[in-house]
Amino acid sequence: MKKISQTLLSRRTLKIFLLAAVTTVVVVFLARWLRTLPAVRDFIATYPGHAPLPQNAPVGLPAWLGWQHFFNAFFIVLLIRSGWHVRTQVRPPARWRSKRNPGGPRLSINLWLHQALNIFWVLNGAIFVVLLFITGQWMRIVPTSWDVFPHALSTAVQYASLDWPVNTGWVNYNSLQVLAYFVTVFVAAPLAIISGWRMSNAWPASPALNRRFPVSWARAIHFPVMVYYLIFIVMHVGLVFFTGMQRNLNHMYAARDDGSWMGFIIFLVSVAVMVGGWFATQGVLLRSMASMTGKVTR
């Protein structure tokens, strides 16, 4: 039975990849054809992709943004992994119960990991948002004019045609990036936090609150948000590598705009740490960490 289910899953995965490949080819050819039309060429010339920033917008990326980027990536990767285990595993490898509440509910160890990681992710996100507004960096990822929408449409056509828009991320993100970062930080993250809190045992035991926000709504929100993050990560990493890997990684990890390889080196170190975290949050090591705050049973 297990082999049959794995075969069906592999066939389904193959179909998804084939559909994605065919869709990509069609989109590229369509975008390249659109760019031959005079009206589309004029539109791209009028809206090349970068909406103007306020005059007092900061230039460059500060060092704190680099380590914030790393911590956010580290936690979100492990959150997606642990959340997928919570959703798919019928029988978890172990269960956890709080030492402070011996009579409380027993959670699967994957759910305990997911909730523990979420605390650090939310804390890191709160620090990130505070620093954004203190340093003025918010002006780079929050739309400040309606021009961001036609510029974003122009950028999307340029990306789809594989004729990349001009990359000036050190000074100003293109409008498609601005919208994507805004949605990720100020829409997707709050939705993930609120819906996750509703499904956790930390949600207040209030019948009135439960009626106003049923757990079924939270489930209907939480999983699509995870899918959004997966798509965002794949697109984000892909474009970082294809639109100037060396320079982009310098911006993101080394807070510099030059031709050095410092950003790439820091990126490799961060990937090594993520891989270490991936293996550390399973098996005996995971049970050891969980036993520090509660009783772990098989």
Side-chain angles (χ1 to χ4, degrees):
M1 190 68 180
K2 185 176 181 181
K3 290 182 178 180
I4 294 175
S5 62
Q6 289 177 345
T7 302
L8 292 175
L9 181 62
S10 61
R11 288 179 180 176
R12 184 182 301 173
T13 303
L14 180 60
K15 289 180 181 179
I16 292 174
F17 275 111
L18 288 175
L19 179 61
V22 172
T23 303
T24 301
V25 172
V26 171
V27 169
V28 170
F29 276 98
L30 178 61
R32 296 184 75 86
W33 172 75
L34 284 173
R35 295 194 67 169
T36 64
L37 302 178
V40 176
R41 289 202 301 267
D42 293 342
F43 177 77
I44 293 176
T46 305
Y47 300 100
H50 296 79
L53 291 175
Q55 293 183 353
N56 59 336
V59 176
L61 302 176
W64 63 263
L65 199 59
W67 56 260
Q68 276 283 327
H69 187 275
F70 160 71
F71 280 121
N72 187 60
F74 178 81
F75 291 130
I76 199 68
V77 166
L78 296 182
L79 277 169
I80 291 174
R81 174 178 173 272
S82 59
W84 182 253
H85 284 163
V86 170
R87 184 179 178 86
T88 58
Q89 283 189 338
V90 178
R91 187 176 182 182
R95 293 189 179 276
W96 173 92
R97 176 175 284 168
S98 173
K99 291 180 180 179
R100 296 182 179 180
N101 186 15
R106 287 199 309 162
L107 307 179
S108 75
I109 198 167
N110 292 316
L111 181 56
W112 171 86
L113 175 63
H114 193 71
Q115 293 186 357
L117 288 169
N118 193 58
I119 293 173
F120 292 103
W121 181 64
V122 172
L123 178 61
N124 183 69
I127 295 172
F128 172 71
V129 171
V130 170
L131 290 175
L132 270 183
F133 285 95
I134 289 178
T135 61
Q137 288 287 330
W138 66 269
M139 287 180 275
R140 291 168 54 89
I141 66 169
V142 175
T144 55
S145 72
W146 292 107
D147 285 346
V148 69
F149 294 104
H151 278 288
L153 179 59
S154 170
T155 306
V157 174
Q158 294 176 66
Y159 275 135
S161 68
L162 301 184
D163 187 1
W164 313 119
V166 177
N167 184 6
T168 60
W170 185 253
V171 178
N172 185 7
Y173 295 127
N174 67 59
S175 293
L176 196 60
Q177 286 178 292
V178 172
L179 292 178
Y181 296 155
F182 175 80
V183 170
T184 302
V185 174
F186 296 105
V187 178
L191 286 176
I193 293 169
I194 294 171
S195 58
W197 180 32
R198 175 62 183 92
M199 292 187 295
S200 74
N201 57 332
W203 181 260
S206 169
L209 282 176
N210 293 341
R211 285 194 302 271
R212 292 173 184 172
F213 189 13
V215 70
S216 58
W217 292 9
R219 293 194 184 101
I221 293 170
H222 206 67
F223 183 72
V225 171
M226 186 203 75
V227 173
Y228 167 81
Y229 271 109
L230 278 173
I231 296 173
F232 173 82
I233 290 170
V234 171
M235 297 294 293
H236 180 59
V237 173
L239 290 175
V240 164
F241 276 81
F242 287 127
T243 61
M245 178 196 71
Q246 182 181 6
R247 189 179 183 188
N248 289 333
L249 291 178
N250 269 339
H251 293 175
M252 295 164 61
Y253 287 95
R256 56 199 300 173
D257 186 34
D258 56 23
S260 73
W261 288 92
M262 182 59 66
F264 180 72
I265 294 172
I266 298 175
F267 167 74
L268 290 181
V269 173
S270 72
V271 171
V273 174
M274 290 181 194
V275 172
W278 182 281
F279 287 103
T281 53
Q282 57 185 325
V284 177
L285 290 175
L286 175 57
R287 288 194 290 270
S288 298
M289 288 187 290
S291 63
M292 295 179 184
T293 58
K295 183 179 179 181
V296 178
T297 57
R298 290 185 179 275

